[in-house]
Amino acid sequence: MTADALFRLCNSVAMGGWLLLVVTGWSTRASRIISSLITGLLVPALLSGFYLVLILTHWSGHKGGFNSLSAVMLLFITDHWLVLAGWVHYLAFDLFIGSWQVRDARRNRVPFILVLPCLLLTFLFGPIGLLLYLLLAGLATRGQSVARSSGRRNLGETAGCFLSCHPEH
């Protein structure tokens, strides 16, 4: 299979995961569990495994590296397979982060309609969507704790929860 064909396949798999994530955002418990397993574990793991194979089979002997911007550019312009590996890296991580955002929003009772723009930005621009979600979740949970003094997570606790990556099922 060519690098272009695998690129299309990986995009389709990731897009299916994103669609499932959006469609099951606040639906029944069963569909939330299924979407969490698929978008938060299975699809990112599948993409990560494929990334590993690409790196193991195409990494050695190429010019470039990670010690300067010029070296990174040289690394990625010399081989389609390494560009594919870089793209699969983005697909896996962005979907994983989007899935975490949905689980964290459920846990913190952030309205799903407010999470949707964060998911779109995470899909398109990764870290910008994550940043928007962290700000939104921080504001939402701060507002909840002020209103109810219930001890909901603040922005720092939300970020800490993200770092520990404990999915809610």
Side-chain angles (χ1 to χ4, degrees):
M1 197 175 269
T2 68
D4 286 328
L6 289 169
F7 174 85
R8 288 189 298 275
L9 178 64
C10 290
N11 277 344
S12 296
V13 168
M15 183 59 75
W18 279 100
L19 290 174
L20 181 64
L21 188 62
V22 169
V23 168
T24 62
W26 286 119
S27 56
T28 67
R29 179 173 169 79
S31 66
R32 287 192 308 222
I33 291 170
I34 291 168
S35 69
S36 291
L37 286 174
I38 292 172
T39 63
L41 180 65
L42 294 178
V43 174
L46 176 69
L47 292 169
S48 296
F50 181 59
Y51 174 78
L52 175 65
V53 169
L54 287 170
I55 293 299
L56 290 176
T57 57
H58 296 282
W59 183 260
S60 66
H62 288 282
K63 296 177 182 176
F66 296 112
N67 59 342
S68 70
L69 183 56
S70 295
V72 170
M73 291 174 62
L74 182 61
L75 179 68
F76 287 117
I77 64 167
T78 58
D79 190 304
H80 283 102
W81 293 101
L82 293 179
V83 173
L84 177 60
W87 183 247
V88 170
H89 177 279
Y90 285 118
L91 292 176
F93 272 60
D94 288 354
L95 181 59
F96 184 81
I97 295 301
S99 185
W100 171 81
Q101 289 171 354
V102 169
R103 288 190 312 272
D104 190 71
R106 285 184 198 130
R107 214 176 6 258
N108 288 303
R109 295 183 180 92
V110 177
F112 189 68
I113 193 74
L114 298 178
V115 177
L116 284 172
C118 301
L119 292 176
L120 178 63
L121 284 171
T122 301
F123 174 72
L124 294 173
F125 304 109
I128 296 172
L130 174 61
L131 180 61
L132 179 62
Y133 177 75
L134 290 173
L135 293 172
L136 173 68
L139 291 172
T141 57
R142 182 172 182 211
Q144 290 171 10
S145 66
V146 167
R148 294 183 301 190
S149 298
S150 65
R152 289 261 171 227
R153 288 187 182 101
N154 63 26
L155 179 59
E157 291 167 329
T158 299
C161 177
F162 164 71
L163 294 174
S164 66
C165 296
H166 288 50
E168 176 187 50
H169 293 286

